[in-house]
Amino acid sequence: MKIQEADAKALLLAQGLPVPPWEVARTPTQARAAAVKFLGDPANATGKVVIKAQVLVGGRGKAGGVKLAGSADEAEDVAAQILALEIKGLPVRRVLVGPAADIVKEYYLSVLLDRSTRRLMFIGSAEGGVEIEQVARDNPAAIVYEHVDPLLGLPDYAARELAFKIGFGPHWKAGAAIAKGLLKTMLAYDADLVEINPLAVIREHGAQGTPVERLVCLDAKVTLDDSALARHPGHEALRDLDAEDPADVEARRYDLTFIKLEGDIGCMVNGAGLAMTTMDLVKRAGGEPANFLDIGGGAKADRVAAAMRLILDDPNVKAILVNIFGGITRGDEVARGLIEARGQQEREVPMVVRIVGTNAEEAAELLRAAHFETAATLDEAAAKAVASARATAA
Ligand code: GDP
Ligand code: MN
């Protein structure tokens, strides 16, 4: 799960990393208030604020989503412009406002899960500020890699070596500490990527008005391991629904495991193993499954209806095969869900239902009364579904 820059920066800050101050604004008025605060800060060396779109895409700068403003009026205007943008298909609902940095040099530093080596890997470069993929193409020698054992972490000597290789110059101590901090952040939150681009040397006004330079995380990108979300109850709130496939959002809401596939026969099954078997039998009968869908154990009518909507949202679906083995899941509940779903259905698609096990008799009665097509065996159900799909296609 990707999280927005402002949320990523909060995680970095909590782990002790140097992040310039910021505020999040949802309206131009809020952006103005934040700008007034940062414009009046004596440490602000540029006398400007930076306003950044909070959307889960890269290259916001190029898309017009990162702008500077020199006054409260300008900040309000710029925020209004950015909040009206759609960047790579995503609406901008929030902006980050912070003191505009006086950038001396931009670096790149990230740590990620490298599945191929089963290690964590640092990637660093003195050519930051641009996409690292582009540096990898144009000047691969400018990139430094360092693998780390997740159990041993990054020892001090390795952090120093990494900092020297990247070339932080006088900022090598800060560079080494930031590398350690990124790893700490990754492990603390079960992230699979923590990327700082740019990690920038910025010039600020020191105590006596003298310029001081320091290395700070000017941008932040963090992706969290979905499988570990249960260990971090607060993280669900960081989810950005705009960036997700609506089908995934809907499936999660109803506790369904849904994976869209290429075929035209929608499958609704309880249990992952039975779902795979059902897909195999659809293929053996000469058809192609449109999805994998496990409605889980003990599914009630509303979950069945949600599953049906997910299947029918795929315009490729020409027939539906429902295969339920009732254990904890009660056949009559599923039947009621199917009847309810068909009542709300926006398009007519042939459906074959096989329900065996708990309350199968009651289910059969309900389905018969509602004129559903049923099948006694899975092979029969698959054959009927394939035949219906062909008839619909023709
Ligand atoms: P991205 O394009 O989505 O990666 O957004 P970034 O936060 O990385 O910003 C893109 C670029 O805008 C950076 O590489 C900087 O060159 C520039 N930028 C971002 N923040 C500031 C700032 O505070 N001051 C100045 N002068 N430039 C900035
Ligand atoms: Mn960036």
Side-chain angles (χ1 to χ4, degrees):
M1 175 174 110
K2 292 186 194 169
I3 61 172
Q4 285 178 354
E5 175 191 4
D7 297 324
K9 281 182 166 172
L11 299 185
L12 293 171
L13 196 63
Q15 295 299 320
L17 284 138
V19 183
W22 79 91
E23 278 188 16
V24 172
R26 295 176 180 279
T27 63
T29 314
Q30 287 176 0
R32 181 192 186 94
V36 166
K37 193 174 129 185
F38 295 122
L39 289 168
D41 182 350
N44 186 336
T46 58
K48 291 184 178 172
V49 288
V50 63
I51 300 177
K52 306 172 75 176
Q54 297 298 288
V55 279
L56 292 179
V57 294
R60 291 166 301 166
K62 276 186 215 153
V66 178
K67 291 210 165 106
L68 304 185
S71 69
D73 284 342
E74 198 186 349
E76 190 172 339
D77 275 357
V78 166
Q81 284 166 29
I82 294 179
L83 284 164
L85 286 179
E86 200 173 86
I87 301 181
K88 297 180 189 171
L90 297 181
V92 182
R93 300 188 195 278
R94 311 195 297 171
V95 291
L96 175 151
V97 182
D102 179 6
I103 301 176
V104 179
K105 181 161 175 58
E106 296 184 304
Y107 292 90
Y108 174 96
L109 186 62
S110 68
V111 58
L112 53 88
L113 178 64
D114 180 17
R115 292 178 199 275
S116 63
T117 58
R118 300 180 186 182
R119 290 280 188 280
L120 303 177
M121 181 168 68
F122 278 94
I123 302 178
S125 177
E127 294 194 12
V130 292
E131 275 177 43
I132 195 69
E133 291 83 359
Q134 193 180 326
V135 181
R137 276 193 301 273
D138 300 346
N139 190 6
I143 302 182
V144 174
Y145 302 91
E146 175 78 25
H147 279 98
V148 173
D149 185 308
L151 298 178
L152 300 178
L154 186 69
D156 287 340
Y157 75 87
R160 282 196 295 272
E161 191 178 274
L162 176 64
F164 284 127
K165 277 197 209 155
I166 295 170
F168 287 113
H171 300 287
W172 67 268
K173 263 191 188 163
I178 288 169
K180 289 183 73 117
L182 296 190
L183 183 62
K184 194 172 156 223
T185 304
M186 176 181 225
L187 298 176
Y189 303 113
D190 289 310
D192 40 36
L193 169 75
V194 181
E195 181 186 67
I196 311 301
N197 189 24
L199 173 61
V201 176
I202 66 167
R203 198 176 288 129
E204 288 174 316
H205 285 320
Q208 274 80 41
T210 47
V212 285
E213 286 186 1
R214 64 179 184 125
L215 197 57
V216 298
C217 303
L218 212 53
D219 187 13
K221 180 174 165 187
V222 168
T223 64
L224 301 169
D225 181 347
D226 287 312
S227 307
L229 285 177
R231 295 176 11 146
H232 307 277
H235 285 179
E236 198 52 48
L238 306 181
R239 191 182 287 284
D240 179 353
L241 296 182
D242 288 332
E244 296 194 9
D245 186 334
D248 290 342
V249 176
E250 191 68 0
R252 196 171 43 246
R253 187 147 82 99
Y254 285 96
D255 242 333
L256 301 163
T257 309
F258 177 81
I259 297 160
K260 196 186 159 324
L261 299 167
E262 303 301 313
D264 59 3
I265 298 180
C267 300
M268 185 192 304
V269 191
N270 65 325
L274 188 58
M276 287 194 278
T277 306
T278 305
M279 288 158 61
D280 281 347
L281 290 188
V282 164
K283 286 200 85 130
R284 197 169 75 182
E288 282 292 336
N291 63 274
F292 170 95
L293 199 168
D294 172 10
I295 62 169
K300 289 281 194 286
D302 62 334
R303 210 197 293 175
V304 172
M308 190 58 72
R309 285 195 298 274
L310 276 177
I311 292 176
L312 285 169
D313 271 344
D314 175 357
N316 291 336
V317 169
K318 298 201 174 63
I320 297 172
L321 167 50
V322 179
N323 184 29
I324 300 297
F325 187 87
I328 300 169
T329 308
R330 286 169 36 193
D332 59 325
E333 269 287 346
V334 174
R336 263 186 275 277
L338 292 173
I339 292 164
E340 182 192 322
R342 202 173 62 175
Q344 302 163 352
Q345 219 164 289
E346 278 168 17
R347 66 193 177 99
E348 203 51 48
V349 173
M351 195 188 308
V352 186
V353 185
R354 173 191 180 238
I355 297 179
V356 293
T358 310
N359 291 6
E361 311 269 282
E362 290 87 335
E365 215 161 286
L366 287 166
L367 293 172
R368 209 176 305 122
H371 307 289
F372 272 79
E373 179 161 18
T374 57
T377 70
L378 184 45
D379 275 318
E380 181 196 340
K384 280 183 172 169
V386 171
S388 299
R390 287 212 179 112
T392 311

